[in-house]
């Protein structure tokens, strides 16, 4: 004998919050590129001189010239360069902080929702300071609950999703706002209380905000709406249980995610 439940989580307030944030970001994005960015800004690590940050005004085979924040000109031979972020690779601001414009980036994050905890790791490529594409893996715990005449039940589903994701930079100033979409396959697994778990689609989209920093690690915060499908059988642990619980469920959850972005 099998008791079957079809369950979907819905919360209009979550959607309203996402729409409100989207409206704010859209209004800010109309301002365009921040006026505080340093024109032709670059960061160079020179052997014997350390890091030099400022505007690259001359670049030749014999010497480079960078004008720093105080207006002083720094000259050095390119053979002494140990590391460099070129103007097409970063957006540089005062106080040595910068954003990445392009290149390979690694993202590591932890997301929390009312009925879920999600860990994600992805490798991405940013293009032209506007677009980003990548792929990743995760470890997601999702939970649903329901009541019967005798008791309440809670079922946890663990998945190891694989996914592709993309970002579009809405604003590229001091605070980098972006829209994000993630598509993948949930790879649901059995645990001590579930069996016959089958896989399903995973979709997640929303808004994010990356904070500039002096170092190659950037912090970011995301607000997303998450959708994932799972079916299977859950064991009813109550003493007077009549049968196990067959479930077919869509997890729909608003997630708040904190992560780090690591460049070269």
């Amino acid at each position: 004998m099998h008791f079957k439940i079809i369950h979907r989580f819905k919360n209009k307030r979550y959607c309203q919050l996402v729409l409100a944030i989207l409206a704010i970001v859209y209004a800010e994005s109309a301002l365009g590129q921040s006026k505080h960015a340093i024109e032709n800004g670059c960061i160079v690590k020179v052997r014997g001189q350390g890091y030099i940050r400022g505007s690259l005004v001359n670049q030749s085979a014999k010497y480079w010239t960078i004008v720093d924040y105080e207006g002083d000109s720094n000259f050095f031979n390119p053979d002494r360069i140990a590391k460099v972020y070129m103007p097409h690779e970063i957006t540089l601001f005062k106080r040595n902080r910068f954003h990445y414009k392009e290149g390979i980036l690694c993202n590591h994050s932890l997301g929390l929702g009312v009925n879920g905890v999600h860990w994600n790791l992805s490798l991405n490529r940013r293009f032209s300071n506007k677009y980003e594409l990548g792929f990743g893996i995760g470890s997601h715990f999702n939970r649903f609950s329901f009541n019967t005449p005798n008791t309440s039940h809670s079922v946890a589903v663990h998945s190891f999703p694989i996914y592709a994701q993309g970002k579009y930079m809405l604003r590229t100033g001091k605070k980098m706002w972006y829209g994000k979409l993630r598509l993948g396959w949930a790879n649901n697994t059995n645990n001590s209380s579930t069996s016959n778990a089958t896989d399903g689609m995973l979709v997640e989209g929303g808004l994010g905000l990356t904070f500039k920093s002096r170092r190659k690690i950037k912090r970011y915060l995301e607000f997303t709406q998450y959708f994932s499908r799972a079916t299977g059988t859950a064991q009813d642990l109550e003493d007077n249980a009549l049968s196990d619980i067959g479930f077919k469920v869509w997890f729909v959850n608003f997630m708040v995610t904190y992560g780090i972005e690591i460049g070269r």
Side-chain angles (χ1 to χ4, degrees):
M1 190 172 182
H2 216 53
F3 175 66
K4 189 156 197 169
I5 179 168
I6 299 176
H7 194 87
R8 296 181 180 178
F9 294 101
K10 296 182 180 179
N11 195 319
K12 293 183 179 179
R13 291 183 180 178
Y14 293 158
C15 297
Q16 291 171 352
L17 178 59
V18 172
L19 291 174
I21 296 172
L22 181 60
I24 294 171
V25 174
Y26 179 79
E28 286 200 1
S29 66
L31 299 176
Q33 174 71 39
S34 173
K35 295 180 181 179
H36 300 284
I38 294 173
E39 185 177 359
N40 225 30
C42 72
I43 300 174
V44 181
K45 184 179 182 181
V46 182
R47 297 183 183 90
Q49 289 182 249
Y51 282 96
I52 300 174
R53 301 169 174 87
S55 180
L56 180 62
V57 297
N58 184 71
Q59 181 183 2
S60 68
K62 294 184 177 181
Y63 71 92
W64 288 20
T65 306
I66 292 180
V67 178
D68 62 23
Y69 308 128
E70 287 75 30
D72 298 328
S73 296
N74 297 268
F75 305 91
F76 54 88
N77 190 300
D79 292 337
R80 295 168 54 202
I81 295 176
K83 185 176 182 179
V84 59
Y85 291 107
M86 296 296 290
H88 68 275
E89 296 177 307
I90 64 169
T91 301
L92 181 64
F93 302 91
K94 291 184 178 180
R95 299 175 62 190
N96 302 336
R97 290 171 168 81
F98 68 96
H99 280 305
Y100 294 108
K101 286 184 178 179
E102 62 178 48
I104 301 296
L105 301 171
C106 178
N107 285 185
H108 181 231
S109 66
L110 179 67
L112 300 176
V114 175
N115 295 293
V117 178
H118 300 167
W119 170 85
N120 290 292
L121 179 67
S122 65
L123 187 66
N124 313 282
R125 176 69 182 270
R126 185 167 296 169
F127 305 88
S128 306
N129 202 28
K130 278 292 184 183
Y131 307 96
E132 186 177 306
L133 296 174
F135 62 92
I137 59 174
S139 177
H140 294 184
F141 286 92
N142 296 299
R143 182 178 297 275
F144 70 91
S145 58
F146 63 96
N147 296 321
T148 60
N150 297 325
T151 186
S152 61
H153 304 268
S154 181
V155 179
V157 177
H158 187 197
S159 62
F160 294 94
I162 55 174
Y163 56 82
Q165 68 179 28
K167 293 181 182 178
Y168 177 75
M169 309 305 153
L170 299 168
R171 177 175 170 81
T172 55
K174 286 185 175 182
K175 295 181 177 63
M176 182 180 286
W177 288 93
Y178 58 86
K180 180 176 183 177
L181 179 63
R182 177 179 291 160
L183 299 173
W185 196 247
N187 288 317
N188 300 311
T189 64
N190 296 316
N191 55 47
S192 59
S193 62
T194 62
S195 60
N196 303 318
T198 60
D199 301 330
M201 290 290 296
L202 179 152
V203 181
E204 187 172 8
L207 298 169
L209 171 63
T210 303
F211 301 92
K212 65 187 187 304
S213 71
R214 297 181 182 184
R215 301 183 181 277
K216 65 181 183 179
I217 297 177
K218 316 296 178 186
R219 297 174 295 113
Y220 64 85
L221 190 65
E222 292 180 351
F223 308 91
T224 58
Q225 188 71 50
Y226 174 89
F227 303 86
S228 180
R229 185 176 183 274
T231 63
T233 304
Q235 183 180 358
D236 191 340
L237 301 177
E238 295 296 324
D239 295 335
N240 59 349
L242 297 177
S243 70
D244 289 338
I245 303 164
F247 61 88
K248 181 179 181 181
V249 59
W250 271 101
F251 295 105
V252 181
N253 204 1
F254 177 72
M255 305 296 299
V256 178
T257 298
Y258 173 83
I260 58 173
E261 174 185 275
I262 306 173
R264 64 176 179 84

